Amino acid sequence: GATNKSGFTALPAGYRSQKGAPFSGIEDYGYWWSKDTDSIGVQSWSIMYGDSLLEMSRHSKNLGISVRCIKQLKGK
């Protein structure tokens, strides 16, 4: 079901474990940090390659996952 209608090409970069082990899930999963944090950890979003389902979860700040930078336009 993935179509890329949103224009965000969610490349599956995988993740690095909290202990710094090499990346896992490359070409299978994409994970991105959110700015939202709480007492449990940091919110993140994930998607599996070829799937259109976006999932939210929380992780320790030590997990190595992708960051998506968004440029805010002036006056917005």
Side-chain angles (χ1 to χ4, degrees):
T3 64
N4 199 24
K5 280 199 259 185
S6 69
F8 172 52
T9 304
L11 298 175
Y15 62 94
R16 189 196 68 211
S17 77
Q18 296 177 16
K19 295 184 179 188
F23 275 76
S24 298
I26 296 173
E27 298 183 359
D28 293 322
Y29 298 95
Y31 296 87
W32 296 268
W33 288 120
S34 169
K35 66 178 183 169
D36 300 321
T37 64
D38 61 22
S39 61
I40 299 170
V42 181
Q43 182 175 307
S44 67
W45 295 94
S46 64
I47 194 166
M48 190 169 110
Y49 179 77
D51 195 349
S52 60
L53 180 64
L54 183 64
E55 295 183 352
M56 187 275 294
S57 58
R58 286 184 168 71
H59 298 283
S60 162
K61 293 178 183 180
N62 295 331
L63 187 67
I65 62 176
S66 300
V67 174
R68 179 175 184 217
C69 298
I70 300 173
K71 181 178 180 180
Q72 184 173 350
L73 301 175
K74 290 183 182 181
K76 301 264 178 175

